[in-house]
């Protein structure tokens, strides 16, 4: 009887480890559901919106300007942030706030991206902490799941004028 219970326990633990590994790989490499919080991406993403984030793009270096990404926060590694990619390595970006009279520009260094929230007046982003290493990108947001009346692909940046083409 003890042998029977021990065998069932070992099988259960084995299945648990297997399914845990499968779930980890799915969330790490394929994607997952994310609940966004904060006002920095308004009006595109509101507080408490639920989105789907795919992770394959970051592994294949397919992140482009205009994509909305989930990133490990450069100022707090325990939290993730949601921002729009404004510039890739080598791109010239506007590093000043919209209210600044004199505009300053800089180039994004190799291996980095420039991130900004859509709500420029209420966003802590690359204008505060500088370019973000590509390795901190966790995933790219594909579409909004909730609220249902807003279900679908995300709209273009309301700050398209911030994209600088040389």
């Amino acid at each position: 009887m003890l042998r029977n219970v021990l065998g069932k326990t070992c099988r259960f633990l084995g299945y648990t480890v297997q399914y845990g590994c499968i779930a980890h790989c799915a969330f790490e490499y394929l994607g997952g559901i994310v609940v966004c919080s904060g006002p920095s991406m308004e009006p595109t993403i509101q507080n408490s919106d639920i989105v789907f984030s795919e992770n394959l793009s970051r592994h294949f270096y397919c992140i482009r300007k205009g994509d909305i990404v989930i990133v490990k926060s450069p100022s707090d590694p325990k939290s993730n942030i949601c921002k729009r990619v404004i510039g890739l390595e080598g791109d010239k970006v506007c590093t000043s706030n919209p209210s600044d009279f004199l505009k300053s520009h800089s180039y994004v260094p190799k291996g980095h991206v420039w991130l900004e929230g859509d709500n420029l007046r209420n966003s802590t982003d690359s204008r505060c902490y500088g370019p973000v290493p590509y390795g901190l990108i966790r995933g790219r947001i594909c579409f909004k799941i909730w609220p249902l009346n807003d279900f679908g692909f995300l709209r273009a940046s309301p700050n398209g004028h911030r994209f600088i083409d040389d």
Side-chain angles (χ1 to χ4, degrees):
M1 179 161 161
L2 179 62
R3 187 175 184 178
N4 189 20
V5 170
L6 191 59
K8 286 183 180 183
T9 303
C10 287
R11 271 194 301 281
F12 175 75
L13 288 175
Y15 288 133
T16 302
V17 169
Q18 287 175 348
Y19 291 125
C21 290
I22 291 169
H24 168 75
C25 289
F27 290 126
E28 180 67 23
Y29 295 104
L30 298 179
I33 295 172
V34 178
V35 178
C36 297
S37 63
S40 73
M41 285 304 293
E42 291 176 356
T44 309
I45 298 174
Q46 305 288 327
N47 192 34
S48 300
D49 280 359
I50 299 173
V51 296
F52 178 77
S53 170
E54 61 86 12
N55 298 347
L56 290 173
S57 293
R58 73 179 172 114
H59 293 293
F60 294 112
Y61 296 93
C62 295
I63 302 295
R64 299 180 310 225
K65 273 197 264 188
D67 287 346
I68 299 174
V69 292
I70 302 291
V71 180
K72 280 280 181 208
S73 173
S75 55
D76 179 14
K78 292 180 182 176
S79 65
N80 292 321
I81 57 174
C82 176
K83 304 291 179 201
R84 189 178 299 271
V85 177
I86 301 299
L88 302 169
E89 62 182 40
D91 286 344
K92 183 178 181 182
V93 292
C94 180
T95 58
S96 55
N97 289 313
S99 59
D100 293 348
F101 181 70
L102 294 173
K103 302 296 180 198
S104 58
H105 297 88
S106 182
Y107 287 92
V108 180
K110 184 175 174 112
H112 290 71
V113 294
W114 189 268
L115 304 174
E116 292 181 2
D118 285 354
N119 185 356
L120 292 173
R121 298 202 190 300
N122 196 3
S123 177
T124 303
D125 48 37
S126 287
R127 294 170 295 153
C128 299
Y129 43 72
V132 176
Y134 196 90
L136 292 182
I137 296 175
R138 306 302 304 147
R140 181 180 62 92
I141 294 179
C142 297
F143 55 87
K144 195 182 293 190
I145 297 172
W146 189 263
L148 285 178
N149 64 335
D150 221 3
F151 181 87
F153 293 102
L154 299 171
R155 65 184 90 144
S157 173
N159 305 311
H161 62 282
R162 304 271 300 169
F163 294 88
I164 299 172
D165 292 322
D166 288 331

